[in-house]
Amino acid sequence: MLYSVFMLALRSIRRNLLRSFLTILGIVIGVSAVITMVTLGNGATASIKAQISGLGTNLLMVRPGQRSGPGGGGGGGGGGVPQFNEADAEAIAAQIGGVAAVAPEGRASATVVANGRNWATSIIGSSNAWFDTGNWKLASGRIFSDEEQQAGSAVCLIGETVRREIFDGTVGQTGLGAQLRVRKFSCIVIGILAGKGQSGMGDQDDTVVVPLRTLQRRVTGNLKVATLLVSMRDGSDATRLKASLTQLLRERRKLATGDDDNFNIFDTQQLAETLSSTTQVLTTLLGAVAAVSLLVGGIGIMNIMLVSVTERTREIGLRLAIGALEHEVLLQFLIEAVVLSALGGVIGILIATAASWGLSSLMGVPYAFDPFINLLSLAFSAGIGVLFGYFPAKRAARMDPIEALRHE
Amino acid sequence: MTEPLIRLQGVTKRYGSGQAELLALKGIDLDIQAGEFVAIMGPSGSGKSTAMNILGCLDTPSQGQYLFEGAHVESLSRDQRARLRRRYLGFVFQGFNLLARTSAQENVELPLLYRGDTANVRRTAAAKALQAVGLAGWEHHTPAELSGGQQQRVAIARAIVTEPAVVLADEPTGNLDTQRSHEIMGLLMALNRDHGITVLMVTHEPDMAAYARRMVHFIDGRIAKDAANPNPTTTAPDVPIAEGAV
């Protein structure tokens, strides 16, 4: 019985192909809009999370100067604000629990020359802890030896971008063991960092890493440390760690009670949460707007079903006369509405899959097929068919066969 | 005398109420035996259509009893009457009432669909019914591709595909020219004669009523005359009816 009613519904949809298509257009647009919005939103959230975890997980960035805004960090240090030094890093590592690694970081910009090519990049001076705080892996080579760090030797590791720009096309392609000229000195490339890829925070692979002492002596000419990178152990309490870190630094910088901090602590985890909750709010909002279009699509279906019921009054009269039961007529029109709207849902999903795939590659966010939102949209559109198909179907089922047959 | 197939006892039908009250039937008594061919005649407004709707279980009397094979139709629910219609009755209308853009075969299969028959059973039965009305080979034509006479034959095939006890035809020739009308009447006569189907037909054309073996005249909500047709027309134009097709 259900099968034959289903076939009846399909048949009458097929009989009015153009109208059926126009009817479901609203649902198609609604479903594809909802899915595309949510998929793109999820992709954007995932990509922000990936970018931030690329900076290092559970990472605190401590910089001199007051916070000037999220991510603004006052890296250079404003006038008169004392800078950090290597001893600060050692003190943190020694005195604060829950710290996995502390790396003092100094930066300078320079053009590096080798192999007859040159490339403007940033030079980072730090310790071996830097590789831990930034989640860096080695593609080849090695990290610094203790002697090299102590002596400030002319050794360096290069990022993937620097390797590509300087050494692509050379024998071995890696540049390992080559002489790289940085301003007035040359360093030997002892390691290549595995690439992290482009991120919203700039190209992290565009870098040359030397021991901190090397940078201080041969590039910047002072002992300043611009940033302290502190990575926390998994599961350690970030709030408490930040509090004790703040206290320690206040003591070391001899701040009196009541003085403002003259440094700021920037928490990547917190940033990640803030940013992804922002995108989630946006996603929900866009999804809600798209859901309204689904509702409009449902009203469109009700409208067309009402027209269809009126137009097919004689047909309904005939069906009732030859013995169709009330619920069979109801079911027929209800199934017709559900099949229509579910069909709209399926077409919408196909369009949304294509659209979100295309748009996400255009916007540079990762594409992830979300089965939950797709199933939900399909169920929702079928539900809209039931909701908005019921009234017209009830109207059809309640008709008086005599009146209906007389209808012109 | 055997129990009649159909028995109306004191049936009245009232529309509206108060000043606007209209008494369409004013106490009808009518017995119809199985196998009869009855023409119901009368001017418009005489109550013959109302009577036909009640006989077809599409409507219920305001007062009185309608017994169909001994069952009290007047006390049945809407769905119970629908079940009765799908089992015992076949309908032929003046305006054919075929589904547009739907093949003859699918139109004929329609009543079987509501009976829950399988596709195979439906196809076989529809082919048989179409053959019985002389439309073998026209299964896949839609109403738009058929003449008026052919469309009414498809409608008759739809009425007999369930092998009903009674076929009710409401002005079946009203939309057809004389030649086609006689063809349709020949078909109904043959169904009645060869297959024992009871035929009740409303018409106002004496030529067509002449095929019936009994004529019931309605005037002003009452039966004015109810008499056997002493000399029913039997020489209809040649219409192919396959033996044992129904």
Side-chain angles (χ1 to χ4, degrees):
Chain A
M1 178 61 218
L2 208 63
Y3 174 75
S4 57
V5 171
F6 181 73
M7 292 314 287
L8 271 177
L10 273 191
R11 216 171 276 169
S12 79
I13 289 169
R14 213 178 46 206
R15 267 190 288 160
N16 267 313
L17 212 55
L18 179 66
R19 178 199 286 184
S20 301
F21 173 72
L22 291 174
T23 305
I24 63 175
L25 204 55
I27 295 283
V28 170
I29 292 170
V31 166
S32 52
V34 169
I35 297 180
T36 308
M37 288 304 157
V38 171
T39 306
L40 286 181
N42 286 348
T45 309
S47 114
I48 286 169
K49 277 185 180 158
Q51 282 172 15
I52 289 168
S53 79
L55 285 175
T57 46
N58 294 341
L59 184 66
L60 303 177
M61 297 166 86
V62 189
R63 288 175 173 161
Q66 284 165 2
R67 181 185 292 262
S68 53
V81 179
Q83 300 288 306
F84 295 119
N85 53 47
E86 229 179 321
D88 291 326
E90 283 157 15
I92 292 167
Q95 295 176 32
I96 295 180
V99 169
V102 183
E105 184 192 80
R107 275 178 190 258
S109 293
T111 300
V112 295
V113 185
N115 195 30
R117 303 182 210 172
N118 55 52
W119 180 248
T121 184
S122 71
I123 316 296
I124 289 173
S126 191
S127 66
N128 276 338
W130 187 84
F131 302 107
D132 297 328
T133 57
N135 279 347
W136 289 97
K137 303 261 182 306
L138 286 181
S140 59
R142 60 175 179 85
I143 56 176
F144 308 123
S145 69
D146 289 347
E147 292 75 30
E148 284 163 351
Q149 292 193 72
Q150 288 297 324
S153 305
V155 289
C156 58
L157 289 92
I158 58 175
E160 169 62 21
T161 304
V162 176
R163 185 207 61 76
R164 189 179 64 237
E165 295 299 330
I166 303 279
F167 294 109
D168 249 7
T170 65
V171 182
Q173 311 248 344
T174 62
L176 212 55
Q179 290 279 336
L180 189 68
R181 195 167 163 70
V182 182
R183 290 202 188 162
K184 288 176 184 144
F185 80 103
S186 286
C187 60
I188 300 168
V189 178
I190 58 167
I192 318 291
L193 298 172
K196 285 186 176 182
Q198 197 79 32
S199 85
M201 309 288 160
D203 184 359
Q204 296 187 79
D205 295 330
D206 189 2
T207 190
V208 172
V209 187
V210 298
L212 179 63
R213 207 151 286 175
T214 312
L215 183 86
Q216 290 171 334
R217 286 183 189 162
R218 307 195 191 215
V219 184
T220 61
N222 58 47
L223 293 180
K224 286 173 188 168
V225 171
T227 312
L228 297 175
L229 301 175
V230 181
S231 68
M232 298 176 277
R233 280 205 198 93
D234 283 339
S236 55
D237 183 346
T239 320
R240 246 183 49 203
L241 200 146
K242 269 195 276 185
S244 46
L245 186 59
T246 304
Q247 204 191 335
L248 176 71
L249 287 174
R250 284 181 70 90
E251 283 165 15
R252 289 183 65 82
R253 294 162 81 83
K254 301 185 173 59
L255 292 174
T257 319
D259 284 358
D260 286 337
D261 294 345
N262 59 0
F263 56 93
N264 69 74
I265 301 172
F266 175 75
D267 184 350
T268 55
Q269 183 92 23
Q270 194 186 328
L271 179 75
E273 277 159 17
T274 310
L275 283 180
S276 62
S277 77
T278 307
T279 52
Q280 262 157 21
V281 166
L282 277 175
T283 304
T284 313
L285 229 99
L286 287 172
V289 169
V292 169
S293 69
L294 255 184
L295 196 73
V296 173
I299 292 169
I301 282 197
M302 176 151 78
N303 188 11
I304 295 294
M305 289 306 293
L306 277 175
V307 169
S308 170
V309 164
T310 306
E311 195 186 71
R312 287 155 69 188
T313 299
R314 275 168 78 92
E315 176 193 326
I316 294 161
L318 173 80
R319 289 179 188 280
L320 290 168
I322 63 175
L325 304 181
E326 211 169 305
H327 79 261
E328 288 170 339
V329 174
L330 179 89
L331 212 59
Q332 184 197 335
F333 281 89
L334 205 55
I335 287 179
E336 210 172 303
V338 172
V339 167
L340 269 177
S341 56
L343 200 67
V346 170
I347 296 174
I349 284 175
L350 293 180
I351 291 176
T353 305
S356 47
W357 187 79
L359 281 174
S360 54
S361 66
L362 212 65
M363 288 163 55
V365 301
Y367 169 73
F369 181 81
D370 184 347
F372 173 73
I373 188 69
N374 281 280
L375 275 176
L376 187 76
S377 301
L378 191 61
F380 195 72
S381 51
I384 275 180
V386 175
L387 192 71
F388 292 98
Y390 185 80
F391 172 61
K394 193 78 196 165
R395 194 180 226 198
R398 282 278 173 80
M399 278 182 185
D400 174 9
I402 301 167
E403 292 292 323
L405 280 168
R406 243 184 246 146
H407 188 268
E408 286 306 321
Chain B
M1 191 141 188
T2 57
E3 181 78 2
L5 177 66
I6 286 171
R7 165 167 279 172
L8 296 184
Q9 280 181 326
V11 166
T12 63
K13 185 68 188 178
R14 192 177 291 116
Y15 292 109
S17 59
Q19 290 291 311
E21 186 180 273
L22 178 81
L23 217 53
L25 292 177
K26 300 169 180 169
I28 301 290
D29 297 311
L30 183 65
D31 282 2
I32 294 169
Q33 304 293 330
E36 282 198 272
F37 186 169
V38 183
I40 296 172
M41 306 184 71
S44 42
S46 62
K48 61 183 194 302
S49 291
T50 306
M52 198 65 167
N53 287 337
I54 289 175
L55 286 169
C57 302
L58 293 167
D59 208 346
T60 49
S62 303
Q63 265 167 10
Q65 290 184 333
Y66 173 18
L67 292 149
F68 187 94
E69 282 208 324
H72 282 271
V73 177
E74 76 275 1
S75 60
L76 295 181
S77 74
R78 192 181 143 110
D79 272 357
Q80 283 170 324
R81 279 185 283 124
R83 285 182 202 281
L84 193 146
R85 288 198 296 272
R86 77 162 66 155
R87 184 149 169 220
Y88 293 106
L89 306 182
F91 289 89
V92 178
F93 307 95
Q94 179 176 356
F96 320 142
N97 280 329
L98 299 176
L99 300 190
R101 280 162 288 178
T102 305
S103 72
Q105 182 186 321
E106 284 177 282
N107 265 294
V108 175
E109 283 182 12
L110 198 60
L112 302 177
L113 218 52
Y114 288 108
R115 233 168 48 172
D117 288 342
T118 64
N120 261 337
V121 171
R122 292 202 307 264
R123 198 167 46 243
T124 313
K128 220 165 106 179
L130 282 169
Q131 198 187 3
V133 298
L135 282 180
W138 293 81
E139 284 86 351
H140 301 296
H141 290 72
T142 62
E145 299 164 347
L146 298 171
S147 72
Q150 285 172 321
Q151 287 185 52
Q152 192 60 302
R153 286 198 213 182
V154 173
I156 292 173
R158 183 181 62 198
I160 62 173
V161 75
T162 56
E163 304 182 6
V166 183
V167 166
L168 297 107
D170 193 355
E171 304 263 14
T173 60
N175 284 10
L176 300 174
D177 63 36
T178 314
Q179 171 68 20
R180 306 285 158 246
S181 295
H182 281 289
E183 284 177 16
I184 292 300
M185 289 317 302
L187 194 53
L188 289 174
M189 185 187 69
L191 288 172
N192 172 256
R193 184 190 60 207
D194 302 338
H195 304 288
I197 296 175
T198 308
V199 177
L200 306 182
M201 176 182 73
V202 166
T203 184
H204 56 257
E205 296 171 81
D207 278 1
M208 303 305 143
Y211 283 85
R213 283 182 280 137
R214 177 178 167 192
M215 295 186 194
V216 178
H217 284 264
F218 276 72
I219 291 176
D220 204 17
R222 294 181 209 281
I223 294 175
K225 193 175 141 198
D226 181 355
N229 181 4
N231 192 18
T233 311
T234 51
T235 50
D238 207 17
V239 177
I241 297 259
E243 271 312 306
V246 174

